[in-house]
Structures are given as C-alpha cells and as structure tokens.
Amino acid sequence: MPTSKDLLASPVTPGFLDGKAALITGSTSGIGLAMARALAAAGADIVINGLGNPDEIENLRSELAQEFGVQVIYDGANMLKESEITAMVQKAADQLDGIDILINNAGIQYVSPIDEFPAQKWEDIIAINMSSNFYTIRAALPGMKARNWGRIINLSSAHGLVASPFKSAYVAAKHGVMGLTKTVALEVAETNITCNAICPGYVRTPLVEGQIEEQAKAHSMNHDDVIRDVILAAQPNKRFVEVEELGQIAVFLCSDAARSINGSDLPVEGGWTAR
Ligand code: NAD
C-alpha cells in the first residue's frame, strides 16, 4: 500500500499500470476506445471488445499494441449474451494473468415515446447497458479479490442521475447501473478494489451522431441548431465532452490517489446535473 509520501508524486506517473490488465467492453469505438488508449498509454495490457468490421478491428488491435508496447487482445463477445460475457472474462483472465481493471462501457440508445417504444429495444438496452455490467463484474470480481486489487468503472450517464423524455429504457438502465455500482462498492469496501460510475453528458461519438441526425429530421432543423438547442439544451457549458477527457478520468480512477473513491458517481457533463 503506497504511503501518503508516495502519493505526493503524481498519481499517474508513466507506466504506473505496467503489469495490470484492463478489459473494456464496447471499446471498438467512441468512449471505450479512448479509455483503452489512455489505459494502454499508462502501461496496461488491454482486452478490447465490441462490434464492427473484423479487418478494421484487427487494425485497431495491432495499432494499439504497437503504439503503446502492450498486449492487446480482442474478444467479440456479444453483450446481449450472458454465456459469451462470462467466457470473455474467463478467457481474458487466463491469457493476461487476471483482469485488474474492468470498464463496463458498451451501450446503445433508442429514442421514442414510451407508448410507442418497441419491447425488443427495451430488452436490448436493459441487457447491453445494464445486465452486461452485472455479468462482467460477477465473473471478474473473484480474481480481483484473490489479488486484493481491482478497479471497476461503469459508464453510466447524466441520464443515470436525471431523466429526459423519450429515453425510458436508457434512463432506466443507467439508473440501474448506479444502483449496481453502489452495491458492489459496499461489497468490496474493505478490499483494495473500488467500483465507481462515470456519468458523462453529451460526448460526440457515433452513439450521439445518430441522435443529431434523427433530431434534425424530426424538428426540420439544421445540424448546428440541433446541437445547440436540442442536444446540448441541458448541458450548460454548450460543448461536447471530449472522449480523451473520459480516458484520463478512467486513468485517474485507477491510481492510488483515487483509492478512497468508492461507490461514487462522477458527473462529467458541464454542469448539467447542478441545476
Ligand atoms: P459508441 O456507439 O461509439 O460505442 C459503443 C460501443 O459499444 C461500440 O464499441 C459498440 O460496438 C459496442 N456495442 C454495442 N452493442 C454491443 C453488443 N451487443 N455487444 C458488444 N458491444 C456492443 O458509443 P459511446 O458514445 O462511446 O458510448 C459508450 C458508453 O458511454 C455507453 O454506455 C453510453 O451509454 C455511454 N455514454 C455516452 C454518452 C455520449 O454522449 N456519447 C453520454 C453518456 C454516456
């Protein structure tokens, strides 16, 4: 356990995650990919996961490994399927000698009034955005406990703290992630494992690009007006969060300086939930 004197040094000295392994779900794109890059830059071996074109994913995997000089493996487990999730965690732990850092990031969105919301979309959003977190944590935690060190970071959302209309499944799943985060945090509180949730506001990734398109059509507005007056209406700083900001927050949560942050939600939303 580092002393308080050790903590006077920067909590994130280069290579401080050497020898650790991180599994990030949904890391073939957007926030997950930025977190994979940030953790690899700090020295961690990486398991990437997510959907996409196999050749592009292989390029991504080998580029990450080359750029940061770490091991990077890919697992295409579908976050809708419990058996694939559990197998991914076990396989990754075997290959990388344990999973020390788990980031539950995979997510999808669907926007519709609740009385028209397709049941299958509800089921899929609950499964991918919430239940997959339960299955990865359940599979990865015994190894963390055995090594008495671990970091679990769940990608919730400002929508895990407050609601917006037409996002019933997403808001329900992200609020559920907050409850899961707090429960796991209490269960590991006496160990060197922490479990926290990051709650971003709007981040410009493919998940949000789709919403900009839909809203522009629905309101017959141009893209810039949709971004300012619809998408960023609730985000007081009126700019998107950059994926790199979230990558660095994940790195910080893995540091010793963050070892007493447990069961927290970290809003990264330009003041949205301060209202
Ligand atoms: P994204 O669409 O860029 O990435 C989503 C990732 O999840 C991709 O890698 C995709 O392949 C993967 N994925 C989707 N379905 C999957 C499945 N069934 N199995 C395995 N992987 C699957 O989205 P993003 O914006 O980077 O979102 C990442 C996370 O951050 C999500 O949980 C999202 O809810 C959350 N978030 C995003 C924003 C935002 O504004 N973009 C804001 C708050 C929270």
Side-chain angles (χ1 to χ4, degrees):
M1 168 82 75
T3 64
S4 4
K5 202 172 151 209
D6 296 328
L7 291 176
L8 275 176
S10 165
V12 290
T13 44
F16 86 104
L17 292 179
D18 280 353
K20 301 269 194 254
L23 187 159
I24 303 113
T25 69
S27 43
T28 51
S29 168
I31 297 168
L33 179 56
M35 290 189 166
R37 290 181 62 78
L39 293 171
D45 293 325
I46 302 290
V47 184
I48 52 171
N49 156 263
L51 311 176
N53 172 298
D55 291 338
E56 285 173 18
I57 293 174
E58 173 49 28
N59 285 343
L60 196 66
R61 190 204 64 73
S62 63
E63 275 168 23
L64 264 177
Q66 253 184 343
E67 183 174 352
F68 300 108
V70 297
Q71 278 195 75
V72 182
I73 58 180
Y74 168 69
D75 192 302
N78 188 335
M79 293 301 108
L80 284 168
K81 298 190 175 155
E82 189 246 311
S83 59
E84 293 187 22
I85 297 171
T86 305
M88 170 182 72
V89 174
Q90 279 162 0
K91 211 169 91 194
D94 289 346
Q95 280 180 270
L96 297 178
D97 209 15
I99 296 300
D100 305 291
I101 298 161
L102 169 66
I103 303 191
N104 284 308
N105 168 78
I108 58 169
Q109 174 62 288
Y110 191 79
V111 181
S112 160
I114 192 163
D115 46 349
E116 295 165 18
F117 211 95
Q120 193 58 53
K121 290 284 181 200
W122 168 273
E123 298 290 345
D124 289 353
I125 290 175
I126 296 296
I128 296 171
N129 295 18
M130 184 180 75
S131 301
S132 73
N133 298 15
F134 163 75
Y135 291 121
T136 56
I137 293 170
R138 192 175 67 149
L141 199 52
M144 292 180 184
K145 282 181 177 166
R147 291 184 299 284
N148 195 25
W149 195 91
R151 294 288 187 267
I152 300 168
I153 300 170
N154 299 323
L155 256 292
S156 179
S157 166
H159 283 123
L161 303 169
V162 293
S164 294
F166 313 125
K167 296 185 175 176
S168 52
Y170 189 86
V171 170
K174 294 299 187 183
H175 275 70
V177 167
M178 302 310 306
L180 176 68
T181 302
K182 289 187 240 182
T183 304
V184 174
L186 292 178
E187 291 186 21
V188 299
E190 291 189 34
T191 69
N192 290 316
I193 302 167
T194 64
C195 180
N196 292 289
I198 298 179
C199 299
Y202 280 102
V203 191
R204 196 160 188 174
T205 66
L207 185 135
V208 165
E209 288 297 341
Q211 291 179 60
I212 297 172
E213 296 294 329
E214 282 167 22
Q215 296 286 347
K217 268 191 218 149
H219 299 280
S220 305
M221 288 166 77
N222 71 40
H223 276 209
D224 289 348
D225 290 346
V226 165
I227 288 171
R228 188 179 167 83
D229 299 333
V230 180
I231 301 284
L232 296 181
Q235 198 152 303
N237 62 348
K238 298 293 174 198
R239 64 166 179 79
F240 286 105
V241 178
E242 304 288 337
V243 292
E244 290 76 13
E245 296 170 42
L246 297 165
Q248 290 309 323
I249 289 168
V251 168
F252 172 70
L253 284 174
C254 292
S255 72
D256 286 322
R259 67 190 175 195
S260 305
I261 301 177
N262 191 27
S264 300
D265 53 82
L266 275 86
V268 188
E269 31 62 313
W272 178 342
T273 59
R275 290 178 195 278

